């Protein structure tokens, strides 16, 4: 979304790991990037990220799953 990278999860175990240590690694095009996963509850940011996911993967999300998921923004560290 714009210049941002996002991912969402409804997995509470995964969210627990990130809460205890937000450092993550992203592999893209054979390179590994050291990142930080920052949760966001901003409604506009969530809506933009969800719209991008829907467009990319051509699906309609389950409203119950969407409301219970955690959205993370990946930031450089």
């Amino acid at each position: 979304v714009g210049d941002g990278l996002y991912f969402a999860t409804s997995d509470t175990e995964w969210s627990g790991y990130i809460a205890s240590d937000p450092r993550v690694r992203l592999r893209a095009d054979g390179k590994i990037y050291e990142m930080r996963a920052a949760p966001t509850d901003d409604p506009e940011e969530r809506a933009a990220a969800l719209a991008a996911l829907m467009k990319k993967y051509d699906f309609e999300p389950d409203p119950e799953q969407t409301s219970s998921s955690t959205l993370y923004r990946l930031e450089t560290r």
Side-chain angles (χ1 to χ4, degrees):
V1 177
D3 290 338
L5 296 173
Y6 295 86
F7 72 94
T9 183
S10 57
D11 184 326
T12 56
E13 185 175 8
W14 228 79
S15 295
Y17 293 144
I18 293 172
S20 67
D21 185 356
R23 296 174 299 165
V24 297
R25 295 177 356 158
L26 169 71
R27 183 175 58 207
D29 294 329
K31 297 178 186 173
I32 295 177
Y33 300 90
E34 302 291 327
M35 310 290 287
R36 180 169 112 32
T40 179
D41 289 326
D42 180 271
E44 290 180 15
E45 199 170 14
R46 286 183 67 87
L50 181 58
L53 281 169
M54 289 171 39
K55 181 178 179 182
K56 181 175 182 174
Y57 296 108
D58 191 28
F59 78 102
E60 289 294 323
D62 177 348
E64 185 176 309
Q65 185 179 19
T66 302
S67 65
S68 66
S69 67
T70 302
L71 177 68
Y72 295 92
R73 177 181 53 254
L74 295 179
E75 302 171 342
T76 58
R77 57 174 164 120

